[in-house]
Coordinates of all heavy atoms in Angstrom, one line a residue:
P184 N 6.9 7.9 18.1 CA 7.6 9.1 17.6 C 6.7 10.3 17.5 O 5.4 10.1 17.3 CB 8.1 8.6 16.3 CG 8.0 7.1 16.3 CD 6.8 6.8 17.1
I185 N 7.2 11.5 17.5 CA 6.3 12.7 17.2 C 7.0 13.6 16.3 O 8.2 14.0 16.4 CB 5.9 13.4 18.5 CG1 4.9 14.5 18.3 CG2 7.1 13.9 19.3 CD1 4.2 15.0 19.5
G186 N 6.3 14.0 15.3 CA 6.7 15.1 14.4 C 5.5 16.1 14.4 O 5.4 17.0 15.2
G187 N 4.6 15.9 13.4 CA 3.4 16.8 13.4 C 2.4 16.5 14.5 O 1.6 17.3 14.9
A210 N 8.4 10.5 21.5 CA 9.9 10.7 21.3 C 10.1 11.7 20.2 O 9.7 11.5 19.1 CB 10.5 9.3 21.0
E211 N 10.9 12.7 20.5 CA 11.1 13.8 19.6 C 12.6 14.1 19.4 O 13.4 14.0 20.4 CB 10.4 15.0 20.1 CG 10.5 16.2 19.1 CD 9.6 17.4 19.6 OE1 9.7 17.7 20.8 OE2 8.8 17.9 18.8
P212 N 13.1 14.3 18.2 CA 14.5 14.7 18.0 C 14.9 16.0 18.8 O 14.1 17.0 18.8 CB 14.7 14.9 16.5 CG 13.5 14.2 15.9 CD 12.4 14.3 16.9
A215 N 14.6 19.1 16.7 CA 13.3 19.4 16.2 C 12.3 19.3 17.3 O 11.3 18.6 17.2 CB 12.9 18.5 15.0
D217 N 10.0 21.1 18.9 CA 8.9 22.1 19.0 C 7.8 21.6 19.9 O 7.2 22.3 20.7 CB 8.4 22.5 17.7 CG 7.8 21.4 16.9 OD1 8.6 20.5 16.4 OD2 6.6 21.3 16.7
P233 N 14.2 22.7 11.9 CA 14.6 21.4 12.4 C 16.0 21.0 11.8 O 16.3 21.3 10.7 CB 13.5 20.5 11.9 CG 13.0 21.1 10.6 CD 13.1 22.6 10.9
T235 N 17.8 17.4 12.1 CA 17.7 16.0 12.5 C 17.8 15.1 11.4 O 17.3 15.4 10.3 CB 16.5 15.8 13.4 OG1 16.4 14.4 13.8 CG2 15.2 16.1 12.6
C237 N 16.1 12.5 11.4 CA 14.8 11.9 11.4 C 13.9 12.7 10.4 O 13.2 13.6 10.8 CB 14.1 11.9 12.7 SG 15.1 10.9 14.0
D238 N 14.0 12.5 9.1 CA 13.3 13.3 8.1 C 11.8 13.3 8.3 O 11.1 14.2 7.9 CB 13.7 12.9 6.7 CG 13.2 11.4 6.4 OD1 13.9 10.5 6.8 OD2 12.2 11.3 5.7
G239 N 11.3 12.2 8.8 CA 9.8 12.1 9.0 C 9.3 12.9 10.2 O 8.1 12.9 10.4
L240 N 10.2 13.5 11.0 CA 9.8 14.2 12.3 C 10.2 15.6 12.2 O 10.3 16.3 13.3 CB 10.4 13.5 13.5 CG 10.2 12.0 13.6 CD1 10.8 11.4 14.9 CD2 8.7 11.7 13.7
R241 N 10.3 16.2 11.0 CA 10.7 17.6 10.9 C 9.6 18.6 10.9 O 9.8 19.8 11.0 CB 11.6 17.8 9.7 CG 12.9 17.1 9.8 CD 13.7 17.1 8.4 NE 14.9 16.3 8.5 CZ 15.6 15.9 7.5 NH1 15.1 16.1 6.2 NH2 16.7 15.1 7.6
A242 N 8.3 18.0 10.8 CA 7.2 18.9 10.8 C 6.9 19.5 12.2 O 7.2 18.9 13.2 CB 5.9 18.2 10.3
L243 N 6.4 20.7 12.2 CA 6.0 21.3 13.5 C 4.6 20.8 13.9 O 3.8 20.4 13.1 CB 5.9 22.8 13.3 CG 7.1 23.6 12.9 CD1 6.8 25.1 12.9 CD2 8.3 23.3 13.9
P284 N 15.2 6.1 10.9 CA 15.5 6.8 12.2 C 14.3 7.3 12.9 O 14.2 7.3 14.1 CB 16.4 7.9 11.7 CG 17.1 7.4 10.5 CD 16.0 6.5 9.8
S285 N 13.3 7.9 12.1 CA 12.1 8.4 12.7 C 11.3 7.4 13.4 O 10.4 7.8 14.3 CB 11.2 9.0 11.6 OG 11.9 10.0 10.9
S286 N 11.5 6.1 13.2 CA 10.9 5.0 13.9 C 11.7 4.6 15.1 O 11.1 4.4 16.2 CB 10.7 3.9 12.9 OG 10.1 2.8 13.5
I288 N 13.6 6.1 17.0 CA 13.7 7.1 18.1 C 12.8 6.7 19.3 O 13.1 7.1 20.4 CB 13.3 8.5 17.6 CG1 13.7 9.6 18.6 CG2 11.8 8.6 17.2 CD1 13.6 11.0 18.1
S310 N 7.2 3.1 13.7 CA 6.3 3.8 12.8 C 6.6 3.6 11.3 O 5.6 3.7 10.5 CB 6.4 5.3 13.1 OG 7.7 5.8 13.0

Side-chain angles (χ1 to χ4, degrees):
I185 187 167
E211 184 173 48
D217 60 290
T235 176
C237 301
D238 64 280
L240 304 180
R241 293 172 184 161
L243 299 182
S285 301
S286 177
I288 193 172
S310 56

